[in-house]
Amino acid sequence: MSVLQQTPKPFAVYDELQTLPIISGPTFPGLNYFTTTAKSGRKDVTSTSGDEDAFTEAGFNLGLSTGAESSLVLANRAHLRSRLPSEPVWISQVHGSSVFDADNWQVGDDLAIADASITTKIGRTLVVQTADCMPIVLLGADAKVLGVVHAGWRSLLLGVIENTIEAMLNKYAGAICYAWIGPSIGAAVFEVGAEVRAAFIESNPAYERFFTIKKDHTDKYLANLVAIANHKLCRLKVVGKVDENCQIYFSGLCSYSLADWFYSYRRNPNTGRLATVAYLK
């Protein structure tokens, strides 16, 4: 299959959602979305590391499994909820490729085990948590269906992007018209072993160019996850599942390198979680 490889466009805007610091991409009709940061906006940051502030009110840790006091995380989630049109649909992420259909979700339901969710309902708020993995927002034709994806290397390899788009097309026929990849670990710092590179190349030899061998290492590589995700989306343009005119954007912000703004598990396993939130309007 011949793939016209288009370079994704970098786009990230700092904004405040009722004093809550957020990062968003370009505005697009029918869609609201953003990624939270490691800052709560409630008080001055006490250090230069979001990892440390994840356990204080200065940070905005949204992960209940991060070791932070649950009361702090729940307060942060309530702070976020007050700025949204509806209760967020949280999912239990497992670095897999399952997709949750959130259209029939109700408050109080058990967490779905999935790494992406979709909806056709106006105002239904989808959310994924990250701390280096890619959050991806996907919008279907006519802004009739929305998908939000948690894509680390495992989920990417297993096909979480393809599965999400397939589920979206099953809900509403019409190619994906917009994509934004939020803050995530950059290609200059994301180290993986030779076995990860080999697994990707086995799935598609074209991925070889997205891995660079580390200097002075024979079995360590730097992986460009954004480039792999972009290649997948461009490949889906060829078969009509992504519109040929679909604009693919990425934040250009590295969660690992920008320690004061983002949580990063690779930088420090004792850290918080960001949230990427999206809803149709």
Side-chain angles (χ1 to χ4, degrees), residues 3-244:
V3 177
L4 177 60
Q5 186 67 27
Q6 299 173 341
T7 303
K9 299 178 181 181
F11 197 110
V13 175
Y14 170 85
D15 201 354
E16 292 187 1
L17 184 65
Q18 301 174 41
T19 72
L20 178 65
I22 59 172
I23 300 294
S24 62
T27 57
F28 200 89
L31 174 66
N32 271 347
Y33 68 101
F34 61 86
T35 298
T36 61
T37 70
K39 302 175 184 295
S40 68
R42 289 194 294 255
K43 61 193 321 184
D44 291 338
V45 173
T46 56
S47 74
T48 59
S49 170
D51 300 320
E52 294 177 18
D53 288 321
F55 306 96
T56 74
E57 286 189 356
F60 202 61
N61 180 4
L62 294 162
L64 283 170
S65 61
T66 58
E69 290 290 337
S70 60
S71 58
L72 175 66
V73 174
L74 290 173
N76 288 341
R77 289 190 176 195
H79 196 59
L80 176 64
R81 167 64 184 92
S82 68
R83 288 152 173 76
L84 300 173
S86 63
E87 193 72 29
V89 183
W90 300 93
I91 55 178
S92 179
Q93 301 166 192
V94 293
H95 298 280
S97 60
S98 295
V99 182
F100 176 58
D101 184 343
D103 276 355
N104 296 319
W105 177 86
Q106 296 182 2
V107 176
D109 284 354
D110 292 339
L111 289 181
I113 298 174
D115 282 271
S117 55
I118 63 171
T119 188
T120 59
K121 291 192 172 183
I122 301 294
R124 173 134 298 176
T125 305
L126 305 183
V127 57
V128 292
Q129 299 178 71
T130 58
D132 282 333
C133 294
M134 292 181 297
I136 306 176
V137 177
L138 300 168
L139 185 66
D142 305 317
K144 294 295 187 180
V145 60
L146 170 68
V148 179
V149 181
H150 162 252
W153 73 259
R154 292 179 179 84
S155 295
L156 202 59
L157 181 62
L158 291 170
V160 70
I161 290 176
E162 294 90 337
N163 289 356
T164 303
I165 290 175
E166 193 66 36
M168 292 171 68
L169 295 177
N170 287 337
K171 297 287 286 187
Y172 184 83
I176 302 304
C177 65
Y178 180 76
W180 184 71
I181 303 170
S184 54
I185 193 165
V189 291
F190 185 47
E191 179 183 306
V192 298
E195 74 285 355
V196 174
R197 173 179 175 270
F200 273 96
I201 294 172
E202 182 180 357
S203 71
N204 187 340
Y207 294 151
E208 182 175 8
R209 67 181 182 270
F210 303 132
F211 293 85
T212 304
I213 194 165
K214 285 199 70 177
K215 292 181 179 179
D216 303 322
H217 289 78
T218 59
D219 60 347
K220 298 294 183 182
Y221 294 82
L222 297 174
N224 190 335
L225 294 184
V226 170
I228 295 173
N230 179 67
H231 186 276
K232 285 175 173 282
L233 292 168
C234 289
R235 193 168 184 261
L236 291 171
K237 287 185 177 185
V238 177
V239 296
K241 294 183 178 182
V242 173
D243 190 274
E244 62 179 4

